[in-house]
Amino acid sequence: MGSRSKYEKRDLVNAALYIQQTGTVWAKLPENYPPYGSVYAFYKRSLKNGSWQHVLDVL
């Protein structure tokens, strides 16, 4: 069991989708999203466990 994030999963997903849709670099993530390091870590974990692919398949 991992530690709890201080950011809502919805905000992390929205930030990762923003990166996917705009093609911008992680460091240029707007300030209204969580810090890019947190978003990137969430994204990498999601890729590794397959949940990110599931999200994209559903969309």
Side-chain angles (χ1 to χ4, degrees), residues 8-10 12 17 20 23 25 29 34-35 38 40 44 46-48 50:
E8 296 285 329
K9 294 271 190 276
R10 178 184 297 265
L12 295 168
L17 286 173
Q20 291 284 320
V25 295
L29 195 62
S38 298
Y40 183 71
K44 292 298 281 187
S46 300
L47 278 178
K48 188 174 183 179

Side-chain angles (χ1 to χ4, degrees), residues 24-44:
T24 191
V25 295
W26 290 99
K28 298 289 184 181
L29 195 62
E31 290 183 15
N32 58 321
Y33 292 112
Y36 75 88
S38 298
V39 177
Y40 183 71
F42 167 78
Y43 178 74
K44 292 298 281 187

